[in-house]
């Protein structure tokens, strides 16, 4: 088997992503989970860049690895979960069923993927080199997708107010 | 424009695996914070699928879908973490199995 450089890079990033994502699930301490999640976001941003989605890769690091993870870490430290509590039974009926359901979903998705074949790339005229750049994404965002964009700004405002109200001790 | 050097199917397979790791975390973990992080993993798997198809079809609209998913995830994280804080303040725990009622 001989790999091209892109394939080798992809394999490396894919293994790193899956490994750190598994650490998120496996770590006992939520802080370790959060740190593994930051690593996952960075590896995913690299994969996005490999897919020529440069703008989304930068946003992934800014918003996910930056803003959202800071929020997570703040909450973990605010709750000061020093005592993780009694571990409880490790294997319960609920957990076995949950694990089997996740595995079954994966098998179903793989079977679906095996039956699917990518279309040959046609490529719209004019998309070429601008694909995935801030210019191309921004151009679409402020013309055809302006209404959803404004709706998202409203959603963020509602979320901001809602978060303050919900977290307040007494309303 | 060259087709992707890596088969699009590989990206979709990675996304499927990430999504299932997220599902596994949601169903198996007891700590509400870790469950929340698993949901973020699932959202990222969906984003990866959007971007893979966008690359396959050379259509920038997939990037916009991913952008909106990121924005909604930010809103969801803010609200969800506020709920976890309120829950911890009222019950003194973030263990999903100790929280069986909506209200005292």
């Amino acid at each position: 088997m001989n790999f091209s450089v892109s394939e080798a890079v992809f394999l490396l990033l894919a293994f790193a992503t899956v490994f750190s994502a598994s650490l998120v699930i496996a770590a006992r301490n939520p802080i370790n989970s959060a740190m593994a999640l930051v690593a996952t976001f960075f590896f995913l941003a690299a994969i996005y860049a490999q897919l020529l989605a440069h703008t989304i890769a930068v946003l992934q690091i800014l918003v996910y690895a930056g803003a959202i993870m800071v929020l997570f870490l703040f909450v973990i430290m605010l709750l000061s979960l020093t005592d993780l509590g009694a571990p409880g039974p490790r294997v319960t009926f609920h957990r076995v069923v949950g694990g089997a359901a996740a595995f079954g979903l994966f098998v179903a998705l793989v079977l679906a993927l095996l039956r699917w074949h990518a279309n040959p790339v046609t490529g719209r005229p004019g998309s070429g080199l601008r694909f995935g750049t801030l210019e191309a994404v921004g151009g679409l965002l402020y013309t055809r997708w302006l209404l959803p964009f404004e709706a998202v700004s409203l959603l963020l405002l509602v979320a901001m107010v809602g978060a303050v109200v919900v977290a307040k001790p007494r309303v | 424009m060259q087709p992707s050097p890596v088969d699009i199917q590989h990206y979709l397979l990675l996304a499927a695996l990430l999504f299932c790791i997220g599902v596994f975390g949601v169903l198996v973990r007891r700590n509400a914070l870790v469950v929340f992080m698993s949901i973020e993993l699932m959202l990222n798997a969906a984003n990866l699928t959007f971007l893979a198809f966008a690359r396959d079809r050379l259509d920038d609209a997939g990037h916009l879908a991913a952008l909106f998913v990121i924005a909604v995830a930010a809103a969801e994280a803010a609200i969800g973490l506020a709920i976890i804080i309120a829950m911890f303040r009222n019950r003194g725990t973030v263990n999903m199995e100790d929280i069986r009622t909506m209200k005292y």
Side-chain angles (χ1 to χ4, degrees):
Chain A
M1 286 171 77
N2 51 358
F3 287 121
S4 69
V5 177
S6 315
E7 281 170 328
V9 169
F10 170 75
L11 270 183
L12 203 68
L13 287 172
F15 275 118
T17 311
V18 170
F19 178 71
S20 51
S22 315
L23 273 186
V24 174
I25 307 299
R28 273 199 63 70
N29 192 329
I31 291 271
N32 294 345
S33 290
M35 285 307 165
L37 194 56
V38 174
T40 313
F41 288 155
F42 270 98
F43 292 133
L44 272 173
I47 290 178
Y48 293 171
Q50 207 189 14
L51 281 167
L52 299 184
H54 314 295
T55 313
I56 303 297
V58 171
L59 277 176
Q60 166 93 358
I61 290 176
L62 278 181
V63 178
Y64 258 119
I68 294 184
M69 287 322 296
V70 167
L71 202 60
F72 264 101
L73 287 174
F74 258 109
V75 169
I76 291 172
M77 289 168 185
L78 206 65
L79 299 184
S80 65
L81 299 167
T82 43
D83 54 332
L84 294 171
R90 284 192 69 79
V91 179
T92 60
F93 176 70
H94 164 205
R95 284 189 152 183
V96 171
V97 172
F103 184 73
L105 178 64
F106 181 64
V107 171
L109 284 174
V110 169
L111 287 180
L113 271 180
L114 286 179
R115 294 178 53 171
W116 177 81
H117 296 288
N119 296 321
V121 175
T122 47
R124 293 175 310 155
S127 84
L129 286 175
R130 290 170 66 240
F131 178 76
T133 56
L134 195 55
E135 183 192 358
V137 175
L140 267 179
L141 187 63
Y142 289 110
T143 52
R144 247 186 88 196
W145 296 77
L146 187 62
L147 185 66
F149 177 66
E150 296 295 344
V152 160
S153 69
L154 194 63
L155 176 76
L156 285 173
L157 178 70
V158 171
M160 202 161 65
V161 175
V164 171
V165 171
V166 169
K168 254 173 80 165
R170 289 203 164 272
V171 181
Chain B
M1 196 70 182
Q2 295 290 315
S4 171
V6 181
D7 195 350
I8 289 300
Q9 229 157 343
H10 296 175
Y11 291 103
L12 296 179
L13 190 67
L14 173 65
L17 187 53
L18 264 185
F19 190 86
C20 291
I21 292 175
V23 170
F24 186 82
V26 168
L27 291 177
V28 168
R29 287 299 303 251
R30 297 191 184 93
N31 189 321
L33 283 164
V34 179
V35 169
F36 221 73
M37 293 182 207
S38 305
I39 294 175
E40 301 293 330
L41 275 182
M42 289 157 72
L43 286 169
N44 268 280
N47 263 353
L48 182 55
T49 314
F50 271 124
L51 295 178
F53 276 117
R55 177 71 180 87
D56 191 39
R57 308 189 64 86
L58 286 179
D59 189 346
D60 289 308
H63 294 192
L64 289 172
L67 182 79
F68 290 131
V69 169
I70 290 179
V72 171
E76 173 244 3
I79 293 285
L81 289 172
I83 290 176
I84 290 178
I85 288 180
M87 202 164 79
F88 183 74
R89 189 176 284 136
N90 285 331
R91 317 279 172 96
T93 179
V94 290
N95 189 329
M96 303 287 268
E97 291 186 349
D98 294 342
I99 297 156
R100 292 165 181 280
T101 51
M102 295 287 281
K103 183 180 173 186
Y104 279 112

